[in-house]
Coordinates of all heavy atoms in Angstrom, one line a residue:
L93 N -6.5 47.1 -2.1 CA -7.8 46.7 -1.8 C -8.1 47.4 -0.4 O -9.3 47.5 0.0 CB -8.1 45.3 -1.7 CG -7.7 44.6 -3.0 CD1 -8.1 43.1 -2.8 CD2 -8.5 45.0 -4.1
D94 N -7.0 47.8 0.3 CA -7.3 48.5 1.7 C -8.1 47.5 2.6 O -9.0 47.9 3.4 CB -8.0 49.7 1.6 CG -7.9 50.5 2.8 OD1 -7.1 50.5 3.5 OD2 -8.9 51.3 3.2
L95 N -7.6 46.2 2.7 CA -8.2 45.3 3.7 C -8.0 45.7 5.1 O -6.9 46.1 5.4 CB -7.4 43.9 3.5 CG -7.9 43.0 2.4 CD1 -7.1 41.7 2.3 CD2 -9.4 42.6 2.3
K96 N -9.1 45.8 5.8 CA -9.1 46.1 7.1 C -9.1 44.9 8.0 O -8.4 44.9 9.1 CB -10.5 46.9 7.6 CG -10.5 48.2 6.8 CD -9.5 49.2 7.2 CE -9.9 50.6 6.7 NZ -9.9 50.8 5.3
T97 N -9.6 43.8 7.7 CA -9.8 42.7 8.6 C -9.7 41.3 7.7 O -10.3 41.2 6.7 CB -11.3 42.7 9.3 OG1 -11.5 44.0 9.9 CG2 -11.3 41.6 10.4
V98 N -9.2 40.4 8.4 CA -9.1 39.0 7.8 C -9.5 38.1 9.0 O -9.0 38.1 10.0 CB -7.6 38.6 7.3 CG1 -7.6 37.1 7.0 CG2 -7.3 39.4 6.2
V99 N -10.7 37.3 8.6 CA -11.0 36.2 9.6 C -10.6 35.0 9.2 O -11.0 34.4 8.0 CB -12.6 36.4 9.7 CG1 -13.0 35.3 10.8 CG2 -13.1 37.7 10.1
D100 N -9.6 34.3 9.8 CA -9.0 33.2 9.5 C -9.6 32.1 10.2 O -9.4 31.9 11.4 CB -7.4 33.2 9.8 CG -6.6 32.1 9.1 OD1 -7.2 31.1 8.8 OD2 -5.3 32.2 9.0
F101 N -10.3 31.1 9.6 CA -11.0 30.0 10.1 C -10.2 28.7 10.4 O -10.6 27.8 10.8 CB -12.3 29.6 9.3 CG -13.3 30.5 9.1 CD1 -13.9 31.0 8.0 CD2 -13.8 31.3 10.3 CE1 -14.8 32.0 7.8 CE2 -14.8 32.2 10.2 CZ -15.2 32.7 8.9
R102 N -8.8 28.7 9.9 CA -8.0 27.6 10.0 C -7.6 27.2 11.4 O -7.7 28.0 12.4 CB -6.7 27.8 9.1 CG -6.9 28.1 7.7 CD -5.6 28.4 7.0 NE -4.8 29.5 7.5 CZ -3.7 29.8 7.4 NH1 -2.9 29.0 6.7 NH2 -3.2 31.0 7.9
S103 N -7.4 26.1 11.4 CA -6.9 25.5 12.9 C -5.6 25.9 13.3 O -4.8 26.4 12.5 CB -7.0 24.0 12.9 OG -5.9 23.5 12.0
R104 N -5.1 25.7 14.5 CA -4.0 26.1 15.0 C -2.8 25.3 14.1 O -1.9 25.9 13.8 CB -3.8 25.5 16.5 CG -2.4 25.7 17.0 CD -2.4 25.1 18.6 NE -2.8 23.7 18.6 CZ -4.0 23.4 19.1 NH1 -4.8 24.3 19.5 NH2 -4.2 22.1 19.2
E105 N -2.9 24.1 13.9 CA -1.9 23.4 13.1 C -1.8 23.9 11.6 O -0.7 24.2 11.1 CB -2.3 21.8 13.1 CG -2.2 21.2 14.3 CD -3.6 21.1 15.0 OE1 -4.3 22.1 14.7 OE2 -3.8 20.3 15.9
E106 N -2.8 24.2 11.0 CA -3.0 24.7 9.7 C -2.2 26.2 9.5 O -1.4 26.4 8.7 CB -4.4 24.9 9.2 CG -5.0 23.6 8.8 CD -6.5 23.8 8.6 OE1 -7.3 24.1 9.5 OE2 -6.9 23.6 7.5
R107 N -2.5 27.1 10.5 CA -1.9 28.3 10.7 C -0.3 28.2 10.9 O 0.5 29.0 10.4 CB -2.6 29.1 11.8 CG -4.0 29.6 11.3 CD -4.7 30.5 12.3 NE -5.1 29.8 13.4 CZ -4.7 29.9 14.6 NH1 -3.6 30.6 14.9 NH2 -5.3 29.1 15.6
Q108 N 0.1 27.2 11.9 CA 1.4 27.0 12.1 C 2.2 26.5 11.0 O 3.4 27.0 10.7 CB 1.5 26.1 13.2 CG 1.3 26.6 14.7 CD 1.3 25.7 15.8 OE1 1.4 24.5 15.6 NE2 1.1 26.2 17.0
L109 N 1.6 25.6 10.2 CA 2.3 25.1 9.1 C 2.3 25.9 7.7 O 3.2 25.9 6.9 CB 1.7 23.7 8.7 CG 1.9 22.6 9.6 CD1 1.0 21.3 9.2 CD2 3.4 22.1 9.5
E110 N 1.3 26.9 7.8 CA 1.1 27.8 6.6 C 0.8 29.2 7.2 O -0.1 29.7 6.9 CB 0.1 27.3 5.7 CG 0.3 26.0 5.0 CD -0.8 25.5 3.9 OE1 -1.6 26.5 3.8 OE2 -0.7 24.5 3.5
P111 N 2.0 29.7 7.8 CA 1.8 31.2 8.3 C 1.7 32.2 7.1 O 2.2 31.9 6.0 CB 3.0 31.5 9.1 CG 4.1 30.4 8.4 CD 3.3 29.3 8.1
V112 N 1.0 33.2 7.4 CA 0.9 34.3 6.3 C 1.6 35.5 6.8 O 1.5 36.2 7.8 CB -0.6 34.7 6.2 CG1 -0.7 35.7 5.0 CG2 -1.4 33.5 5.7
N113 N 2.7 35.8 6.2 CA 3.8 36.8 6.6 C 3.3 38.2 5.9 O 4.0 38.5 4.9 CB 5.1 36.4 6.2 CG 5.5 35.2 6.9 OD1 5.2 35.0 8.1 ND2 6.1 34.1 6.1
W114 N 2.4 38.9 6.4 CA 2.0 40.1 6.0 C 3.0 41.1 6.1 O 3.9 41.1 7.2 CB 0.8 40.6 6.7 CG -0.5 39.8 6.5 CD1 -1.0 38.7 7.3 CD2 -1.5 40.0 5.4 NE1 -2.2 38.4 6.8 CE2 -2.4 39.0 5.7 CE3 -1.5 40.8 4.4 CZ2 -3.5 38.8 4.7 CZ3 -2.6 40.7 3.5 CH2 -3.5 39.7 3.6
P115 N 3.3 42.0 5.2 CA 4.4 43.1 5.3 C 4.2 43.9 6.4 O 3.1 44.2 6.7 CB 4.2 43.8 3.9 CG 3.6 42.9 3.0 CD 2.6 42.1 3.9
A116 N 5.3 44.2 7.0 CA 5.2 45.2 8.3 C 4.6 46.6 7.9 O 4.8 47.0 6.7 CB 6.5 45.5 8.8
G117 N 3.6 47.0 8.7 CA 2.9 48.1 8.3 C 1.8 48.1 7.3 O 1.2 49.1 7.2
A118 N 1.6 47.0 6.7 CA 0.5 46.8 5.7 C -0.4 45.6 6.1 O -1.3 45.3 5.3 CB 1.1 46.6 4.4
A119 N -0.3 45.1 7.4 CA -1.1 43.9 7.8 C -2.4 44.3 8.2 O -2.6 45.3 9.0 CB -0.3 43.2 8.9
P120 N -3.5 43.6 7.6 CA -4.8 43.8 8.2 C -4.9 43.3 9.6 O -4.0 42.6 10.0 CB -5.7 43.1 7.3 CG -4.9 42.1 6.7 CD -3.5 42.6 6.8
R121 N -6.0 43.6 10.3 CA -6.3 42.9 11.6 C -6.7 41.5 11.3 O -7.7 41.3 10.6 CB -7.5 43.6 12.3 CG -7.8 43.2 13.6 CD -8.7 44.3 14.3 NE -9.2 43.9 15.5 CZ -10.5 43.5 15.9 NH1 -11.4 43.5 14.9 NH2 -10.9 43.2 17.0
V122 N -6.0 40.5 11.9 CA -6.3 39.0 11.5 C -6.9 38.5 12.8 O -6.2 38.6 13.9 CB -5.0 38.3 11.1 CG1 -5.3 36.9 10.9 CG2 -4.3 38.9 9.9
L123 N -8.0 37.8 12.7 CA -8.7 37.1 13.8 C -8.7 35.7 13.6 O -9.1 35.1 12.5 CB -10.1 37.7 13.8 CG -10.3 39.2 14.1 CD1 -11.9 39.5 14.0 CD2 -9.7 39.7 15.3
S124 N -8.4 34.9 14.6 CA -8.3 33.4 14.4 C -8.6 32.9 15.8 O -8.6 33.6 16.9 CB -7.1 32.9 14.0 OG -5.9 33.3 14.8
V125 N -9.0 31.6 15.8 CA -9.2 30.9 17.1 C -8.3 29.7 17.2 O -8.1 28.9 16.4 CB -10.7 30.4 17.2 CG1 -10.9 29.5 18.4 CG2 -11.6 31.6 17.2
D126 N -7.7 29.5 18.5 CA -6.8 28.4 18.6 C -7.3 27.1 18.9 O -7.5 26.7 20.0 CB -5.9 28.8 19.7 CG -4.5 28.0 19.8 OD1 -4.2 27.5 18.7 OD2 -4.0 27.8 20.8
Y127 N -7.9 26.5 17.8 CA -8.5 25.1 18.1 C -7.7 24.0 17.4 O -7.0 24.3 16.4 CB -10.0 25.2 17.6 CG -10.1 25.2 16.1 CD1 -10.2 24.1 15.4 CD2 -10.1 26.5 15.5 CE1 -10.4 24.1 13.8 CE2 -10.2 26.5 14.0 CZ -10.4 25.3 13.3 OH -10.6 25.5 12.0
G128 N -7.9 22.8 17.8 CA -7.2 21.7 17.0 C -7.8 21.2 15.9 O -9.0 21.0 15.8
F129 N -7.0 20.8 14.8 CA -7.5 20.2 13.6 C -8.5 19.1 13.8 O -9.4 19.0 13.1 CB -6.3 19.9 12.7 CG -6.8 19.4 11.3 CD1 -7.1 20.4 10.4 CD2 -6.8 18.1 11.0 CE1 -7.4 19.9 9.1 CE2 -7.3 17.6 9.7 CZ -7.5 18.6 8.8
K130 N -8.0 18.2 14.7 CA -9.0 17.1 14.9 C -10.4 17.4 15.3 O -11.3 16.6 15.2 CB -8.2 16.1 15.9 CG -7.0 15.4 15.4 CD -6.3 14.5 16.5 CE -5.2 13.8 15.8 NZ -4.6 12.9 16.8
E131 N -10.5 18.6 16.0 CA -11.8 18.9 16.4 C -12.9 19.0 15.2 O -14.0 19.2 15.4 CB -11.8 20.4 17.1 CG -11.0 20.1 18.4 CD -11.0 21.5 19.2 OE1 -11.9 22.4 19.0 OE2 -9.9 21.8 19.7
L132 N -12.3 19.0 14.0 CA -13.2 19.1 12.7 C -14.0 17.8 12.7 O -14.9 17.6 11.9 CB -12.5 19.4 11.4 CG -11.9 20.8 11.4 CD1 -10.9 20.8 10.2 CD2 -13.1 21.8 11.1
G133 N -13.5 16.7 13.4 CA -14.3 15.5 13.3 C -13.9 14.5 12.3 O -14.6 13.7 11.9

Side-chain angles (χ1 to χ4, degrees):
L93 302 183
D94 194 29
L95 282 179
K96 298 289 193 304
T97 308
V98 171
V99 182
D100 190 341
F101 297 128
R102 294 179 302 162
S103 68
R104 174 178 58 252
E105 294 92 337
E106 290 168 292
R107 289 183 283 107
Q108 288 174 346
L109 287 167
E110 297 188 5
V112 182
N113 299 312
W114 293 94
R121 183 165 176 256
V122 179
L123 304 177
S124 60
V125 171
D126 196 27
Y127 71 94
F129 183 80
K130 291 183 179 179
E131 293 177 35
L132 288 170

